Amino acid sequence: MKKRAVTLLTLFAVSINLMACGGKDAQESSADTSTEQVIAETTEQAETESEEEVLPEGKYRSELTNELIDDSLKDQRPIAVMVDNESIALPHYGLSHADVVYEMMNSTMNGRITRFMALFKDYESVDQIGSIRSVRPTNIILAAEWNAIICHDGGPFYIDEYLAEPCSDHFSGTFSRVNNGKSREYTEYIVSGDMDKNFSNSDVSKEYTSYYEGEHYQFANEDKPVDLSDAADAITAETVDLPFPHNGSYLEYDADDQLYYYSEYGKAHVDPGNDNAQLCFKNLLIQSAGFTQYDEHGYMIFDVITSGGGYYVTNGEAIPVTWKKTSMTSPTRYYDADGNEIKLNTGKTYIALVPVDDWKSLVIE
């Protein structure tokens, strides 16, 4: 307030001096101009100040979800956890707490089975995450755009060159074994204390590094959420049925809470670590992506450092988008039909990479 008062007084003094140097017409003209300028600047400043959100003490808006979280987490890197998606690996623990969940083909074999990569900002608040499985080159590239630390258990030799990149940090096979009655490959989980142990035994930074390119998504104000129904190319999106033949992923919109609920293998995906809450999301990003198969075993890599098409889905509507990623560390950006970068609604986001040769089998209705 004091600064504004000084500015107003200064402008008023300037207008008085101008009046003293000219005739009556000049005086009136100068006075009118100065007054209009003061009013315009004061109005603009007031509007700017009114748009600035006053956050609760000790809180900030997460760069992953735009939700209010503890300020102590602001510089903490997220982790990107590789989660097995074979039916025998169910139920998954901790996924309902993830901020962003990727699902994509993990192999061209076995009905093009998918695997999850789940990003957690406040991972210490989750008691159990997993089960943990191996990583693929695509996941390493995508984790890099979040400056996320990859948590996995090995992988094919095709990952080596990507993990060797200075922007890549990871922990492999260093988590806890939980006796769940299954074979050993389905028993590895991140539990309380595991991440601290990994950081203590390595030189991996817990905080963002120089390879972090900044906030990833643009978010709409919570008071003015994105309404895609206003777009000329919007379509109804109450169900999103993905062309993932092995597990049959689909999401259904609940108009009451305006969230999309995830199911696979013909049933709701629930989290026993969170009172059997069903996995759900506010935003869905569906990307069409080409891929290259490495060998006869089905190992492959998606073409993600390029551009392509897709859909953005929220609040029961969907619009076509284009996407673009220019380097390993650069965030994937999504654009509407007019070339404007889209804004997401506050909440969790699901991202599906759909093979380009299966794109026509995607159903949004």
Side-chain angles (χ1 to χ4, degrees), residues 77-99:
R77 299 167 71 183
I79 60 173
V81 185
M82 296 305 305
V83 178
D84 195 325
N85 202 26
E86 181 55 89
S87 59
I88 196 172
L90 299 175
H92 296 137
Y93 281 76
L95 256 65
S96 64
H97 294 288
D99 299 306

Side-chain angles (χ1 to χ4, degrees), residues 236-241 250-253 260 363-365:
T236 299
E238 295 180 355
T239 302
V240 178
D241 193 350
Y250 63 97
L251 297 106
E252 296 177 301
Y253 181 63
Y260 285 87
V363 177
I364 300 177
E365 57 187 14

Side-chain angles (χ1 to χ4, degrees), residues 9 71 88 92 129-130 181 187 263 268 288 323 328 350:
L9 286 171
D71 192 62
I88 196 172
H92 296 137
I129 304 172
T187 62
S263 298
S288 172
W323 60 268
M328 190 160 171
Y350 168 86

Side-chain angles (χ1 to χ4, degrees), residues 201-257:
N201 294 334
S202 72
D203 59 357
V204 173
S205 172
K206 190 174 183 178
E207 297 186 343
Y208 283 121
T209 71
S210 60
Y211 295 102
Y212 179 51
E213 295 195 16
E215 294 182 0
H216 199 281
Y217 294 138
Q218 290 189 28
F219 288 99
N221 190 304
E222 276 195 279
D223 297 329
K224 297 179 181 178
V226 172
D227 183 0
L228 298 181
S229 63
D230 294 336
D233 54 358
I235 60 174
T236 299
E238 295 180 355
T239 302
V240 178
D241 193 350
L242 293 148
F244 296 153
H246 183 85
N247 60 315
S249 309
Y250 63 97
L251 297 106
E252 296 177 301
Y253 181 63
D254 186 328
D256 291 334
D257 60 12

Side-chain angles (χ1 to χ4, degrees), residues 7-255:
T7 302
L8 290 172
L9 286 171
T10 303
L11 287 168
F12 183 72
V14 169
S15 68
I16 292 295
N17 287 335
L18 287 170
M19 289 171 64
C21 295
K24 182 177 180 181
D25 292 340
Q27 293 172 10
E28 290 177 353
S29 175
S30 299
D32 290 343
T33 301
S34 298
T35 302
E36 290 172 1
Q37 183 179 358
V38 169
I39 292 172
E41 291 182 356
T42 304
T43 301
E44 182 180 353
Q45 184 173 357
E47 288 175 351
T48 301
E49 289 178 353
S50 66
E51 291 174 2
E52 292 179 0
E53 183 182 21
V54 179
L55 300 178
E57 185 175 356
K59 299 290 183 180
Y60 90 105
R61 289 204 173 271
S62 166
E63 59 274 30
L64 277 70
T65 66
N66 200 47
E67 296 170 327
L68 290 171
I69 61 174
D70 198 90
D71 192 62
S72 63
L73 299 168
K74 194 167 187 177
D75 295 325
Q76 179 171 289
R77 299 167 71 183
I79 60 173
V81 185
M82 296 305 305
V83 178
D84 195 325
N85 202 26
E86 181 55 89
S87 59
I88 196 172
L90 299 175
H92 296 137
Y93 281 76
L95 256 65
S96 64
H97 294 288
D99 299 306
V100 176
V101 175
Y102 286 85
E103 183 177 10
M104 68 192 78
M105 177 172 67
N106 188 57
S107 168
T108 60
M109 305 295 284
N110 196 16
R112 293 191 165 186
I113 187 170
T114 66
R115 186 160 292 178
F116 290 126
M117 183 173 76
L119 272 65
F120 298 81
K121 179 74 170 176
D122 188 10
Y123 48 82
E124 293 290 0
S125 66
V126 187
D127 293 332
Q128 184 174 342
I129 304 172
S131 60
I132 310 299
R133 289 303 295 273
S134 57
V135 72
R136 298 291 184 269
T138 307
N139 304 112
I140 301 170
I141 295 170
L142 293 174
E145 67 181 64
W146 297 91
N147 199 219
I149 302 161
I150 304 165
C151 299
H152 66 113
D153 193 339
F157 72 89
Y158 300 109
I159 67 175
D160 293 347
E161 63 176 290
Y162 296 95
L163 290 178
E165 292 289 334
C167 61
S168 296
D169 283 317
H170 70 112
F171 297 131
S172 175
T174 53
F175 307 105
S176 296
R177 294 288 172 176
V178 176
N179 184 6
N180 57 10
K182 301 176 183 180
S183 58
R184 182 175 173 80
E185 61 187 312
Y186 302 111
T187 62
E188 188 172 8
Y189 296 84
I190 299 174
V191 301
S192 298
D194 279 354
M195 293 306 299
D196 281 340
K197 177 185 66 177
N198 275 280
F199 284 117
S200 297
N201 294 334
S202 72
D203 59 357
V204 173
S205 172
K206 190 174 183 178
E207 297 186 343
Y208 283 121
T209 71
S210 60
Y211 295 102
Y212 179 51
E213 295 195 16
E215 294 182 0
H216 199 281
Y217 294 138
Q218 290 189 28
F219 288 99
N221 190 304
E222 276 195 279
D223 297 329
K224 297 179 181 178
V226 172
D227 183 0
L228 298 181
S229 63
D230 294 336
D233 54 358
I235 60 174
T236 299
E238 295 180 355
T239 302
V240 178
D241 193 350
L242 293 148
F244 296 153
H246 183 85
N247 60 315
S249 309
Y250 63 97
L251 297 106
E252 296 177 301
Y253 181 63
D254 186 328

Side-chain angles (χ1 to χ4, degrees), residues 305-326:
I305 305 179
T306 182
S307 59
Y311 284 98
Y312 170 43
V313 186
T314 191
N315 290 351
E317 303 281 342
I319 59 169
V321 296
T322 56
W323 60 268
K324 184 177 182 180
K325 179 174 169 65
T326 57

